Amino acid sequence: MNTRTKGARVESLAKKKLEKEGWLVFKKDHTRWSPGDIYGQFDMIATKGNTTRYIQIKSNKSDFYTARKSVAKWVKDTGVTSPCEVWLYEGKSQWRCETI
């Protein structure tokens, strides 16, 4: 399985998990001409009531650590106060979720 296919599968699992918990999820599709990241950082935005969450999904542990640094810098630079999260799929329906 190539990395793009694996990433799409993990993003789909995350979206299903959020929707099952009652979140409304927006996920931009990746295309050949656009990478699909929202604000250049996030794979999806989830909303429920007055809460909005920005979420970056990773399926590789080393990418997870890199993404945490990148999201932390983005939060600092933009001043966003909504929860910004990085999720790592560890397999067997196990997620590691960190809020930046």
Side-chain angles (χ1 to χ4, degrees), residues 12-13 42 55 67 73 78-79 89 97:
S12 178
L13 291 171
F42 302 101
I55 303 169
K73 181 182 181 322
T78 62
Y89 184 68
C97 305

Side-chain angles (χ1 to χ4, degrees), residues 34-51:
S34 170
D37 287 341
I38 302 164
Y39 300 124
Q41 288 292 326
F42 302 101
D43 294 312
M44 57 188 68
I45 296 175
T47 60
K48 183 195 266 186
N50 293 329
T51 305

Side-chain angles (χ1 to χ4, degrees), residues 1-2 6 13 15-16 18 28 30 39 55 58-59 64 67 73 77 79-83 86 91 100:
M1 177 181 310
N2 67 34
K6 182 179 179 185
L13 291 171
K15 183 177 179 190
K16 287 177 186 175
L18 287 163
K28 186 176 172 193
H30 296 268
Y39 300 124
I55 303 169
K58 293 296 176 188
S59 59
F64 174 76
K73 181 182 181 322
D77 291 348
V80 169
T81 57
S82 295
V86 180
I100 308 296

